[in-house]
Amino acid sequence: MHKETRLQNLSHLRLALRQRLKDLEISLEVVFGRAPLVKGNVYEMARKCGKPSCTCTRGEWHRSMMLSWSERGKTQLFSIPPDRLAEVRQKSQEYLRFRHTRARVSEICQGMVALLDRIEKLRREAP
């Protein structure tokens, strides 16, 4: 490969690496946050109680807000009291945001390693 072309390729790779570094720095802002996290998803559950005289037998099911998460391969459920719903929902959303960021950081780092490999290959000379 021509020296000029090789140097041009190195320059482009270095710029790409710098951009990934900026992306990483931006992504890590979520990780450096101090908001508490609650693992799981908040959703509304509707169910029948099974009592023959209850209104749920006529279609008016009992509704409650739940937090669902997986622990050791098993789904766990927590009934959220109405006065804590906003708090738990916010903490759950923050957890999901954190996990999304964690995945993004992993992608960025993998991309950085690939760029480093390409830079090394272009810089390497025979002894």
Side-chain angles (χ1 to χ4, degrees), residues 6 8-9 13 19 22 25-29 32 34 39 41 49 52 56 59 66 89-92 94 105 107 114:
R6 188 174 62 94
Q8 196 172 27
N9 285 344
L13 290 171
Q19 185 58 50
K22 287 178 186 175
E25 189 175 343
I26 290 166
S27 294
L28 286 176
E29 289 300 318
F32 293 136
R34 295 176 183 251
K39 181 180 179 180
N41 291 307
C49 68
C56 66
M66 304 296 289
R89 181 177 275 147
Q90 182 180 4
K91 290 175 183 179
S92 171
E94 191 64 26
V105 166
E107 289 173 8

PDB file of all heavy atoms in Angstrom, residues 6 8-9 13 19 22 25-29 32 34 39 41 49 52 56 59 66 89-92 94 105 107 114:
ATOM      1  N   ARG A   6      -1.761   4.870   2.967  1.00  0.00           N
ATOM      2  CA  ARG A   6      -1.735   4.280   4.310  1.00  0.00           C
ATOM      3  C   ARG A   6      -1.908   5.365   5.369  1.00  0.00           C
ATOM      4  O   ARG A   6      -2.691   5.218   6.311  1.00  0.00           O
ATOM      5  CB  ARG A   6      -0.418   3.533   4.514  1.00  0.00           C
ATOM      6  CG  ARG A   6      -0.348   2.733   5.788  1.00  0.00           C
ATOM      7  CD  ARG A   6       0.926   1.906   5.834  1.00  0.00           C
ATOM      8  NE  ARG A   6       2.114   2.739   5.811  1.00  0.00           N
ATOM      9  CZ  ARG A   6       2.767   3.150   6.904  1.00  0.00           C
ATOM     10  NH1 ARG A   6       2.352   2.775   8.084  1.00  0.00           N
ATOM     11  NH2 ARG A   6       3.824   3.909   6.813  1.00  0.00           N
ATOM     12  N   GLN A   8      -3.297   8.272   4.955  1.00  0.00           N
ATOM     13  CA  GLN A   8      -4.661   8.799   4.834  1.00  0.00           C
ATOM     14  C   GLN A   8      -5.649   7.871   5.543  1.00  0.00           C
ATOM     15  O   GLN A   8      -6.540   8.324   6.260  1.00  0.00           O
ATOM     16  CB  GLN A   8      -5.018   8.952   3.366  1.00  0.00           C
ATOM     17  CG  GLN A   8      -6.211   9.832   3.119  1.00  0.00           C
ATOM     18  CD  GLN A   8      -6.407  10.095   1.638  1.00  0.00           C
ATOM     19  OE1 GLN A   8      -6.020   9.287   0.788  1.00  0.00           O
ATOM     20  NE2 GLN A   8      -7.007  11.217   1.327  1.00  0.00           N
ATOM     21  N   ASN A   9      -5.482   6.572   5.359  1.00  0.00           N
ATOM     22  CA  ASN A   9      -6.339   5.592   6.044  1.00  0.00           C
ATOM     23  C   ASN A   9      -6.173   5.683   7.557  1.00  0.00           C
ATOM     24  O   ASN A   9      -7.152   5.618   8.304  1.00  0.00           O
ATOM     25  CB  ASN A   9      -6.028   4.176   5.568  1.00  0.00           C
ATOM     26  CG  ASN A   9      -6.573   3.906   4.186  1.00  0.00           C
ATOM     27  OD1 ASN A   9      -7.419   4.635   3.688  1.00  0.00           O
ATOM     28  ND2 ASN A   9      -6.076   2.859   3.557  1.00  0.00           N
ATOM     29  N   LEU A  13      -9.060   6.509  10.332  1.00  0.00           N
ATOM     30  CA  LEU A  13      -9.308   5.600  11.448  1.00  0.00           C
ATOM     31  C   LEU A  13      -9.163   6.316  12.788  1.00  0.00           C
ATOM     32  O   LEU A  13      -9.948   6.092  13.710  1.00  0.00           O
ATOM     33  CB  LEU A  13      -8.362   4.397  11.384  1.00  0.00           C
ATOM     34  CG  LEU A  13      -8.627   3.415  10.242  1.00  0.00           C
ATOM     35  CD1 LEU A  13      -7.501   2.387  10.158  1.00  0.00           C
ATOM     36  CD2 LEU A  13      -9.967   2.737  10.415  1.00  0.00           C
ATOM     37  N   GLN A  19     -14.182   9.901  17.421  1.00  0.00           N
ATOM     38  CA  GLN A  19     -15.642  10.027  17.456  1.00  0.00           C
ATOM     39  C   GLN A  19     -16.255   8.984  18.385  1.00  0.00           C
ATOM     40  O   GLN A  19     -17.167   9.288  19.149  1.00  0.00           O
ATOM     41  CB  GLN A  19     -16.236   9.893  16.051  1.00  0.00           C
ATOM     42  CG  GLN A  19     -17.730  10.135  16.014  1.00  0.00           C
ATOM     43  CD  GLN A  19     -18.123  11.500  16.545  1.00  0.00           C
ATOM     44  OE1 GLN A  19     -17.570  12.523  16.138  1.00  0.00           O
ATOM     45  NE2 GLN A  19     -19.069  11.530  17.482  1.00  0.00           N
ATOM     46  N   LYS A  22     -15.849  10.141  21.880  1.00  0.00           N
ATOM     47  CA  LYS A  22     -16.859  11.155  22.229  1.00  0.00           C
ATOM     48  C   LYS A  22     -18.206  10.498  22.507  1.00  0.00           C
ATOM     49  O   LYS A  22     -18.906  10.874  23.445  1.00  0.00           O
ATOM     50  CB  LYS A  22     -16.991  12.180  21.103  1.00  0.00           C
ATOM     51  CG  LYS A  22     -15.829  13.132  20.999  1.00  0.00           C
ATOM     52  CD  LYS A  22     -16.005  14.089  19.840  1.00  0.00           C
ATOM     53  CE  LYS A  22     -14.765  14.938  19.663  1.00  0.00           C
ATOM     54  NZ  LYS A  22     -14.844  15.794  18.469  1.00  0.00           N
ATOM     55  N   GLU A  25     -18.098   8.957  25.897  1.00  0.00           N
ATOM     56  CA  GLU A  25     -18.196   9.970  26.954  1.00  0.00           C
ATOM     57  C   GLU A  25     -19.641  10.433  27.135  1.00  0.00           C
ATOM     58  O   GLU A  25     -20.128  10.544  28.268  1.00  0.00           O
ATOM     59  CB  GLU A  25     -17.306  11.160  26.600  1.00  0.00           C
ATOM     60  CG  GLU A  25     -17.168  12.168  27.710  1.00  0.00           C
ATOM     61  CD  GLU A  25     -16.185  13.271  27.367  1.00  0.00           C
ATOM     62  OE1 GLU A  25     -15.383  13.113  26.440  1.00  0.00           O
ATOM     63  OE2 GLU A  25     -16.236  14.310  28.053  1.00  0.00           O
ATOM     64  N   ILE A  26     -20.338  10.646  26.042  1.00  0.00           N
ATOM     65  CA  ILE A  26     -21.743  11.068  26.112  1.00  0.00           C
ATOM     66  C   ILE A  26     -22.598   9.975  26.747  1.00  0.00           C
ATOM     67  O   ILE A  26     -23.439  10.245  27.607  1.00  0.00           O
ATOM     68  CB  ILE A  26     -22.261  11.444  24.712  1.00  0.00           C
ATOM     69  CG1 ILE A  26     -21.598  12.743  24.239  1.00  0.00           C
ATOM     70  CG2 ILE A  26     -23.778  11.587  24.708  1.00  0.00           C
ATOM     71  CD1 ILE A  26     -21.780  13.034  22.766  1.00  0.00           C
ATOM     72  N   SER A  27     -22.373   8.744  26.344  1.00  0.00           N
ATOM     73  CA  SER A  27     -23.152   7.620  26.875  1.00  0.00           C
ATOM     74  C   SER A  27     -22.935   7.427  28.364  1.00  0.00           C
ATOM     75  O   SER A  27     -23.862   7.080  29.093  1.00  0.00           O
ATOM     76  CB  SER A  27     -22.786   6.332  26.136  1.00  0.00           C
ATOM     77  OG  SER A  27     -23.187   6.403  24.798  1.00  0.00           O
ATOM     78  N   LEU A  28     -21.727   7.653  28.809  1.00  0.00           N
ATOM     79  CA  LEU A  28     -21.416   7.417  30.217  1.00  0.00           C
ATOM     80  C   LEU A  28     -22.063   8.425  31.163  1.00  0.00           C
ATOM     81  O   LEU A  28     -22.107   8.192  32.367  1.00  0.00           O
ATOM     82  CB  LEU A  28     -19.903   7.389  30.428  1.00  0.00           C
ATOM     83  CG  LEU A  28     -19.208   6.137  29.920  1.00  0.00           C
ATOM     84  CD1 LEU A  28     -17.697   6.262  30.083  1.00  0.00           C
ATOM     85  CD2 LEU A  28     -19.714   4.896  30.609  1.00  0.00           C
ATOM     86  N   GLU A  29     -22.611   9.511  30.650  1.00  0.00           N
ATOM     87  CA  GLU A  29     -23.308  10.475  31.503  1.00  0.00           C
ATOM     88  C   GLU A  29     -24.437   9.781  32.272  1.00  0.00           C
ATOM     89  O   GLU A  29     -24.673  10.084  33.432  1.00  0.00           O
ATOM     90  CB  GLU A  29     -23.856  11.640  30.677  1.00  0.00           C
ATOM     91  CG  GLU A  29     -22.781  12.576  30.159  1.00  0.00           C
ATOM     92  CD  GLU A  29     -21.970  13.230  31.260  1.00  0.00           C
ATOM     93  OE1 GLU A  29     -22.557  13.658  32.282  1.00  0.00           O
ATOM     94  OE2 GLU A  29     -20.730  13.310  31.104  1.00  0.00           O
ATOM     95  N   PHE A  32     -22.986   7.837  35.222  1.00  0.00           N
ATOM     96  CA  PHE A  32     -22.511   8.670  36.321  1.00  0.00           C
ATOM     97  C   PHE A  32     -23.652   9.330  37.099  1.00  0.00           C
ATOM     98  O   PHE A  32     -23.416  10.010  38.089  1.00  0.00           O
ATOM     99  CB  PHE A  32     -21.548   9.745  35.812  1.00  0.00           C
ATOM    100  CG  PHE A  32     -20.253   9.176  35.286  1.00  0.00           C
ATOM    101  CD1 PHE A  32     -19.707   9.644  34.108  1.00  0.00           C
ATOM    102  CD2 PHE A  32     -19.592   8.175  35.970  1.00  0.00           C
ATOM    103  CE1 PHE A  32     -18.512   9.123  33.619  1.00  0.00           C
ATOM    104  CE2 PHE A  32     -18.401   7.645  35.494  1.00  0.00           C
ATOM    105  CZ  PHE A  32     -17.861   8.125  34.317  1.00  0.00           C
ATOM    106  N   ARG A  34     -26.917   9.731  39.606  1.00  0.00           N
ATOM    107  CA  ARG A  34     -27.070   9.296  40.994  1.00  0.00           C
ATOM    108  C   ARG A  34     -28.480   8.807  41.311  1.00  0.00           C
ATOM    109  O   ARG A  34     -28.764   8.402  42.428  1.00  0.00           O
ATOM    110  CB  ARG A  34     -26.701  10.430  41.937  1.00  0.00           C
ATOM    111  CG  ARG A  34     -25.235  10.799  41.843  1.00  0.00           C
ATOM    112  CD  ARG A  34     -24.933  12.001  42.723  1.00  0.00           C
ATOM    113  NE  ARG A  34     -23.549  12.379  42.562  1.00  0.00           N
ATOM    114  CZ  ARG A  34     -22.624  12.211  43.492  1.00  0.00           C
ATOM    115  NH1 ARG A  34     -22.948  11.691  44.649  1.00  0.00           N
ATOM    116  NH2 ARG A  34     -21.388  12.586  43.280  1.00  0.00           N
ATOM    117  N   LYS A  39     -34.797  -2.597  39.340  1.00  0.00           N
ATOM    118  CA  LYS A  39     -34.819  -3.554  38.246  1.00  0.00           C
ATOM    119  C   LYS A  39     -36.250  -3.994  37.989  1.00  0.00           C
ATOM    120  O   LYS A  39     -36.977  -4.329  38.913  1.00  0.00           O
ATOM    121  CB  LYS A  39     -33.957  -4.771  38.603  1.00  0.00           C
ATOM    122  CG  LYS A  39     -33.905  -5.817  37.520  1.00  0.00           C
ATOM    123  CD  LYS A  39     -33.045  -6.990  37.948  1.00  0.00           C
ATOM    124  CE  LYS A  39     -32.999  -8.057  36.879  1.00  0.00           C
ATOM    125  NZ  LYS A  39     -32.177  -9.189  37.261  1.00  0.00           N
ATOM    126  N   ASN A  41     -39.919  -4.090  35.107  1.00  0.00           N
ATOM    127  CA  ASN A  41     -40.888  -3.338  34.305  1.00  0.00           C
ATOM    128  C   ASN A  41     -42.170  -3.156  35.087  1.00  0.00           C
ATOM    129  O   ASN A  41     -42.630  -4.079  35.755  1.00  0.00           O
ATOM    130  CB  ASN A  41     -41.209  -4.093  33.008  1.00  0.00           C
ATOM    131  CG  ASN A  41     -40.034  -4.118  32.064  1.00  0.00           C
ATOM    132  OD1 ASN A  41     -39.480  -3.082  31.744  1.00  0.00           O
ATOM    133  ND2 ASN A  41     -39.648  -5.305  31.633  1.00  0.00           N
ATOM    134  N   CYS A  49     -60.618 -13.119  40.727  1.00  0.00           N
ATOM    135  CA  CYS A  49     -60.290 -13.675  42.040  1.00  0.00           C
ATOM    136  C   CYS A  49     -60.847 -15.090  42.220  1.00  0.00           C
ATOM    137  O   CYS A  49     -60.380 -15.851  43.043  1.00  0.00           O
ATOM    138  CB  CYS A  49     -60.793 -12.768  43.166  1.00  0.00           C
ATOM    139  SG  CYS A  49     -62.590 -12.688  43.302  1.00  0.00           S
ATOM    140  N   PRO A  52     -67.441 -16.706  43.170  1.00  0.00           N
ATOM    141  CA  PRO A  52     -68.584 -16.731  42.250  1.00  0.00           C
ATOM    142  C   PRO A  52     -69.441 -15.465  42.297  1.00  0.00           C
ATOM    143  O   PRO A  52     -70.033 -15.084  41.299  1.00  0.00           O
ATOM    144  CB  PRO A  52     -69.404 -17.945  42.701  1.00  0.00           C
ATOM    145  CG  PRO A  52     -68.576 -18.679  43.684  1.00  0.00           C
ATOM    146  CD  PRO A  52     -67.463 -17.797  44.123  1.00  0.00           C
ATOM    147  N   CYS A  56     -65.853  -9.554  39.220  1.00  0.00           N
ATOM    148  CA  CYS A  56     -64.876  -9.983  38.202  1.00  0.00           C
ATOM    149  C   CYS A  56     -65.420 -11.129  37.350  1.00  0.00           C
ATOM    150  O   CYS A  56     -64.944 -11.344  36.238  1.00  0.00           O
ATOM    151  CB  CYS A  56     -63.532 -10.352  38.831  1.00  0.00           C
ATOM    152  SG  CYS A  56     -63.529 -11.794  39.896  1.00  0.00           S
ATOM    153  N   GLY A  59     -66.807  -9.615  34.180  1.00  0.00           N
ATOM    154  CA  GLY A  59     -65.899  -8.880  33.305  1.00  0.00           C
ATOM    155  C   GLY A  59     -65.188  -7.694  33.941  1.00  0.00           C
ATOM    156  O   GLY A  59     -64.341  -7.081  33.309  1.00  0.00           O
ATOM    157  N   MET A  66     -48.051  -3.667  38.844  1.00  0.00           N
ATOM    158  CA  MET A  66     -47.050  -4.651  39.260  1.00  0.00           C
ATOM    159  C   MET A  66     -45.667  -4.258  38.744  1.00  0.00           C
ATOM    160  O   MET A  66     -45.542  -3.617  37.710  1.00  0.00           O
ATOM    161  CB  MET A  66     -47.408  -6.030  38.695  1.00  0.00           C
ATOM    162  CG  MET A  66     -48.790  -6.542  39.047  1.00  0.00           C
ATOM    163  SD  MET A  66     -49.030  -6.829  40.797  1.00  0.00           S
ATOM    164  CE  MET A  66     -48.033  -8.269  41.050  1.00  0.00           C
ATOM    165  N   ARG A  89     -42.143   3.603  39.145  1.00  0.00           N
ATOM    166  CA  ARG A  89     -42.109   3.717  37.676  1.00  0.00           C
ATOM    167  C   ARG A  89     -40.887   4.512  37.226  1.00  0.00           C
ATOM    168  O   ARG A  89     -40.182   4.113  36.297  1.00  0.00           O
ATOM    169  CB  ARG A  89     -43.389   4.369  37.164  1.00  0.00           C
ATOM    170  CG  ARG A  89     -43.409   4.483  35.641  1.00  0.00           C
ATOM    171  CD  ARG A  89     -44.714   5.051  35.150  1.00  0.00           C
ATOM    172  NE  ARG A  89     -45.653   3.934  35.028  1.00  0.00           N
ATOM    173  CZ  ARG A  89     -46.946   4.029  35.231  1.00  0.00           C
ATOM    174  NH1 ARG A  89     -47.492   5.158  35.580  1.00  0.00           N
ATOM    175  NH2 ARG A  89     -47.722   2.980  35.085  1.00  0.00           N
ATOM    176  N   GLN A  90     -40.605   5.616  37.901  1.00  0.00           N
ATOM    177  CA  GLN A  90     -39.453   6.448  37.550  1.00  0.00           C
ATOM    178  C   GLN A  90     -38.136   5.678  37.742  1.00  0.00           C
ATOM    179  O   GLN A  90     -37.261   5.705  36.889  1.00  0.00           O
ATOM    180  CB  GLN A  90     -39.444   7.721  38.398  1.00  0.00           C
ATOM    181  CG  GLN A  90     -38.306   8.657  38.068  1.00  0.00           C
ATOM    182  CD  GLN A  90     -38.339   9.909  38.925  1.00  0.00           C
ATOM    183  OE1 GLN A  90     -39.169  10.056  39.815  1.00  0.00           O
ATOM    184  NE2 GLN A  90     -37.435  10.822  38.662  1.00  0.00           N
ATOM    185  N   LYS A  91     -38.019   4.963  38.851  1.00  0.00           N
ATOM    186  CA  LYS A  91     -36.796   4.195  39.131  1.00  0.00           C
ATOM    187  C   LYS A  91     -36.636   3.035  38.149  1.00  0.00           C
ATOM    188  O   LYS A  91     -35.526   2.700  37.751  1.00  0.00           O
ATOM    189  CB  LYS A  91     -36.807   3.691  40.575  1.00  0.00           C
ATOM    190  CG  LYS A  91     -36.646   4.817  41.583  1.00  0.00           C
ATOM    191  CD  LYS A  91     -36.780   4.320  43.006  1.00  0.00           C
ATOM    192  CE  LYS A  91     -36.678   5.469  44.000  1.00  0.00           C
ATOM    193  NZ  LYS A  91     -36.822   5.008  45.386  1.00  0.00           N
ATOM    194  N   SER A  92     -37.745   2.447  37.747  1.00  0.00           N
ATOM    195  CA  SER A  92     -37.715   1.369  36.758  1.00  0.00           C
ATOM    196  C   SER A  92     -37.290   1.910  35.396  1.00  0.00           C
ATOM    197  O   SER A  92     -36.486   1.285  34.689  1.00  0.00           O
ATOM    198  CB  SER A  92     -39.091   0.712  36.659  1.00  0.00           C
ATOM    199  OG  SER A  92     -39.142  -0.182  35.582  1.00  0.00           O
ATOM    200  N   GLU A  94     -35.455   4.514  34.891  1.00  0.00           N
ATOM    201  CA  GLU A  94     -34.029   4.841  35.016  1.00  0.00           C
ATOM    202  C   GLU A  94     -33.180   3.578  34.881  1.00  0.00           C
ATOM    203  O   GLU A  94     -32.118   3.598  34.271  1.00  0.00           O
ATOM    204  CB  GLU A  94     -33.765   5.532  36.360  1.00  0.00           C
ATOM    205  CG  GLU A  94     -32.395   6.132  36.484  1.00  0.00           C
ATOM    206  CD  GLU A  94     -32.115   7.264  35.521  1.00  0.00           C
ATOM    207  OE1 GLU A  94     -33.055   7.940  35.067  1.00  0.00           O
ATOM    208  OE2 GLU A  94     -30.920   7.469  35.198  1.00  0.00           O
ATOM    209  N   VAL A 105     -22.608   1.179  25.459  1.00  0.00           N
ATOM    210  CA  VAL A 105     -21.191   1.261  25.813  1.00  0.00           C
ATOM    211  C   VAL A 105     -20.457   0.023  25.306  1.00  0.00           C
ATOM    212  O   VAL A 105     -19.343   0.122  24.774  1.00  0.00           O
ATOM    213  CB  VAL A 105     -21.010   1.441  27.340  1.00  0.00           C
ATOM    214  CG1 VAL A 105     -19.575   1.187  27.778  1.00  0.00           C
ATOM    215  CG2 VAL A 105     -21.446   2.841  27.757  1.00  0.00           C
ATOM    216  N   GLU A 107     -21.253  -1.801  22.688  1.00  0.00           N
ATOM    217  CA  GLU A 107     -21.123  -1.652  21.231  1.00  0.00           C
ATOM    218  C   GLU A 107     -19.992  -0.691  20.871  1.00  0.00           C
ATOM    219  O   GLU A 107     -19.200  -0.970  19.965  1.00  0.00           O
ATOM    220  CB  GLU A 107     -22.422  -1.111  20.633  1.00  0.00           C
ATOM    221  CG  GLU A 107     -23.576  -2.053  20.623  1.00  0.00           C
ATOM    222  CD  GLU A 107     -24.862  -1.371  20.170  1.00  0.00           C
ATOM    223  OE1 GLU A 107     -24.817  -0.198  19.725  1.00  0.00           O
ATOM    224  OE2 GLU A 107     -25.912  -2.010  20.276  1.00  0.00           O
ATOM    225  N   ALA A 114     -12.120  -2.791  17.289  1.00  0.00           N
ATOM    226  CA  ALA A 114     -11.981  -3.079  15.855  1.00  0.00           C
ATOM    227  C   ALA A 114     -11.153  -1.998  15.167  1.00  0.00           C
ATOM    228  O   ALA A 114     -10.294  -2.299  14.330  1.00  0.00           O
ATOM    229  CB  ALA A 114     -13.360  -3.193  15.210  1.00  0.00           C
TER     230      ALA A 114
END
